[in-house]
Amino acid sequence: MVPLWFLEQPILGQSLKKQSNFVNISRWSILVLDAGIVAFSIVLAHLLRFNFEVEAVDYVHFPTGPILLLGIRILTFFLFKTYTGIIFHTGLEDAQRIFLSLMVWSLAFAIVLNPIVFWQTNHYILPYSILIIEFLVSGFLLTGYRGLVKVLYWELATPQSETKSVIVYGAGAAGVVVKNVLEKDIAASYSIAAFIDDNEQLQSKRLLGIEVYARESLSSLLKEHRPEMLIFSTMAVPADRRQSVVEVCLEHQVKVLNIPPVSQWINGELSFSQIRKVRIEDLLERDPIQLDQAEIEAQIRAKVVLITGAAGSIGSELVRQVIQYHPKKLILLDQAETPLYEIELSLRSKHQFSNFEIMLGDVRNQWSMERIFEQHQPEVIYHAAAYKHVPMMENHPSEAVLTNVWGTKVLADLAQRYNSKKFVLVSTDKAVNPSSVMGASKRIAEIYVQSLDRSLAQAKKSPKFVTTRFGNVLGSNGSVIPLFKKQIRSGGPLTITHPEMTRYFMTIPEACQLVMEAGAMGKGGEIFVFDMGKSIKILDLAKRMIRLSGLQLGKDIHITFTGLRPGEKLYEELLNQAETTLPTHHKKIMIAKVREYPFTEVAAKIDALLELIKEQNEERMVRAVKALVPEFKSQNSIYEKFDQDS
């Protein structure tokens, strides 16, 4: 039921009132109208067959034949329910139903009834010429009047408003879909000024009467037509091309919209409400990664897979990707109760996947973790659970060490004890020449699993330990993009620590794909480094997000600089100066050649470090961390004094 206040709105209310008049058309009225059209078609067929000479209409079974045909037609309308479709939403399925209802009994008349009657009386009950003419006329009129009503409905239902000009990027079938969606939108009136397509065979041709242009014509088209928006009708536009198109549109204050993937269309149909604005994440995406699907599937299929931090940004995406490779069982471990419950609901309802176990627990709880390993015997482990917030960990170094070092050690030792096959540690570029406690704690975790792997390899034991190292992921919890979005929604200002700060960015799906690829290819002991692309200036990122929101910097919203936070760097690194890389078969994955440590030495130093947690003496703890990671030099931190002492 539509509320009265909504109907009283000047545009949508009038539209819905007009729609309701159409909705009230009775299905029985449609059946009567259909029967009348068939009767008219039968009469017209006779007139055409006998050259419009009424007195010439004379054959043995007249008028029995026409009456019988009309009765059978009405019966088939009941059987095929052709009168039940919502007439102003007539589509291909309705036309097919009408065609089948007409075809079935036309064939029955022609193949069965006419020959039987002819065999008995030596006369056809209905001449074949009349059958053919009636079939064609009835089919044309029954579908034609429905199409006419549909067109009139949309004309009346669409409010009389100013027509908005639109340019559609991508012609062909996708462009036709977008055009149809725009025409059906009742909230506004749209006119497609031009199509743009990179296919040279489509350029300079016309699609639905609208000319198709090359991408090079975009600037001139924007100046000439001053469109309200540009819509990408397809997702298959290379990332660099999409970015250049968006930049041109932003220069001309033109909004840019995307259609979602076909898999997200509602009941297989696209609606205008699903067309969304281009997000900053779309512009920072790169071309799809080519994965070695067979190698990844060989690692995961029919295996028990444990994902720690499964409710986090990286962990939850790993979950969604791992289920595509048919694990024997998936163990989802996290200490965050509500997000874990939400991913459980998503797996059951959206992904129709039920072969998993939810484990609420903390990786620092050795007894709880041992119970999980004892019960489920995980063969493949993706360890994504970690504390990652740099300033927060700078203020709580014992928590960083407890989770990132002790938690990793607990899981790695259990993986060894319970004979797991592969252990993949998700690390960070902040572990390179760390300037923060968080980065240093992740570097210690790297050192531990690598040295443990080398020790086990010498003894020819499992599992194989692999580390993956990458930078910031777009949209992850605590990252800069969700913060900027929130600040834009609240009217600003956008806060940036330093005008020269840069970061590497990667989408969450891309990062997780590379984690699985690296994990599958790893032979043990490697630290895989991902190709993060170009480093992006955070100030430029903020400006782009403001423009994408349709706002003007300095007028609608402002940017303020707050100064570097404890432990922050201006520039992130993927390798330190002493490290080099070796290529792999995947162009986006390299192996970092890092300093290696004897396991006995590492184990002793980490045990000593963990003993300091009991004292909660953070200064002694940070000194011990620096001793373990000599390249750890604090920045913007109270712990810089320890670097000066050394």
Side-chain angles (χ1 to χ4, degrees), residues 147-406:
L148 179 63
V149 170
K150 179 180 178 180
V151 170
L152 291 174
Y153 162 75
W154 288 112
E155 285 294 326
L156 291 173
T158 303
Q160 298 301 313
S161 59
E162 182 182 353
T163 300
K164 298 178 179 179
S165 178
V166 178
I167 290 178
V168 177
Y169 195 104
V176 173
V177 169
V178 171
K179 185 176 187 298
N180 291 337
V181 169
L182 294 178
E183 289 176 346
K184 290 180 181 179
D185 184 46
I186 65 171
S189 177
Y190 297 99
S191 172
I192 297 182
F195 285 104
I196 295 177
D197 203 284
D198 297 314
N199 187 342
E200 294 182 359
Q201 295 181 348
L202 294 177
Q203 293 167 9
S204 300
K205 295 183 180 179
R206 302 184 78 83
L207 176 65
L208 303 175
I210 301 166
E211 190 163 353
V212 182
Y213 295 86
R215 178 165 45 95
E216 291 73 20
S217 303
L218 178 59
S219 291
S220 59
L221 289 171
L222 295 178
K223 292 176 183 176
E224 178 183 351
H225 297 286
R226 298 184 179 278
E228 177 87 5
M229 65 187 76
L230 178 142
I231 300 177
F232 283 102
S233 69
T234 174
M235 303 294 291
V237 180
D240 56 345
R241 198 172 299 163
R242 182 183 294 266
Q243 291 175 26
S244 65
V245 169
V246 172
E247 285 299 326
V248 173
C249 290
L250 291 180
E251 289 174 8
H252 291 81
Q253 288 80 51
V254 174
K255 291 187 292 186
V256 186
L257 284 74
N258 274 336
I259 67 168
V262 176
S263 59
Q264 297 179 15
W265 295 7
I266 301 173
N267 298 324
E269 292 189 1
L270 178 67
S271 66
F272 186 79
S273 61
Q274 291 178 282
I275 301 177
R276 59 168 175 78
K277 288 183 178 180
V278 166
R279 304 168 301 171
I280 191 67
E281 293 91 332
D282 300 321
L283 301 186
L284 297 179
E285 285 183 351
R286 292 179 283 179
D287 293 334
I289 298 172
Q290 301 302 317
L291 299 177
D292 189 336
Q293 304 284 356
E295 192 169 23
I296 295 174
E297 185 159 9
Q299 173 165 287
I300 294 175
R301 177 179 277 275
K303 304 284 198 321
V304 179
V305 179
L306 167 64
I307 298 178
T308 72
S313 306
I314 295 295
S316 60
E317 179 62 25
L318 276 172
V319 169
R320 285 185 285 270
Q321 295 195 21
V322 164
I323 63 176
Q324 301 174 26
Y325 297 96
H326 313 291
K328 179 180 179 181
K329 182 180 284 187
L330 188 58
I331 313 299
L332 281 64
L333 170 65
D334 207 293
Q335 63 174 339
E337 175 189 13
T338 301
L340 201 58
Y341 172 67
E342 289 172 351
I343 196 169
E344 177 183 10
L345 291 179
S346 175
L347 284 176
R348 294 191 189 280
S349 59
K350 183 178 179 180
H351 299 283
Q352 302 297 307
F353 183 83
S354 58
N355 200 17
F356 66 92
E357 293 280 347
I358 294 292
M359 304 302 298
L360 185 65
D362 189 334
V363 295
R364 302 177 299 185
N365 186 330
Q366 186 173 7
W367 301 276
S368 175
M369 294 303 103
E370 184 154 12
R371 179 174 59 86
I372 292 172
F373 273 79
E374 184 178 0
Q375 286 182 352
H376 300 288
Q377 304 284 325
E379 298 165 88
V380 180
I381 300 156
Y382 293 100
H383 179 37
Y387 277 141
K388 303 181 180 73
H389 198 277
V390 170
M392 187 75 72
M393 293 304 99
E394 205 69 14
N395 294 328
H396 301 86
S398 60
E399 294 300 314
V401 170
L402 198 58
T403 297
N404 296 348
V405 179
W406 169 246

Side-chain angles (χ1 to χ4, degrees), residues 84-110:
T84 60
I86 301 176
I87 196 166
F88 47 82
H89 286 302
T90 297
L92 181 61
E93 186 177 337
D94 298 296
Q96 289 175 339
R97 192 182 295 118
I98 291 171
F99 175 79
L100 285 174
S101 70
L102 295 174
M103 177 62 75
V104 166
W105 280 106
S106 292
L107 290 175
F109 240 92

Side-chain angles (χ1 to χ4, degrees), residues 5-58:
W5 65 264
F6 191 67
L7 289 175
E8 290 173 350
Q9 300 303 308
I11 294 179
L12 288 176
Q14 293 172 17
S15 300
L16 288 177
K17 286 178 180 178
K18 291 174 182 177
Q19 290 181 32
S20 64
N21 294 330
F22 285 96
V23 174
N24 291 332
I25 297 176
S26 166
R27 61 174 60 183
W28 304 116
S29 301
I30 295 174
L31 179 62
V32 171
L33 183 57
D34 288 349
I37 286 176
V38 169
F40 171 77
S41 299
I42 293 172
V43 172
L44 182 60
H46 281 78
L47 292 176
L48 291 172
R49 166 66 179 78
F50 294 101
N51 298 318
F52 288 91
E53 295 179 6
V54 178
E55 62 276 5
V57 180
D58 183 26

Side-chain angles (χ1 to χ4, degrees), residues 480-528:
V480 68
I481 289 178
L483 173 63
F484 284 169
K485 287 181 178 178
K486 183 178 180 181
Q487 290 174 338
I488 288 172
R489 283 195 298 267
S490 62
L494 272 65
T495 55
I496 301 175
T497 54
H498 194 283
E500 297 301 320
M501 176 173 280
T502 63
R503 289 292 182 267
Y504 292 99
F505 286 99
M506 177 178 282
T507 65
I508 294 176
E510 183 180 15
C512 292
Q513 287 170 352
L514 291 175
V515 166
M516 291 196 300
E517 179 84 9
M521 74 168 70
K523 304 302 181 185
E526 303 98 335
I527 293 182
F528 288 105

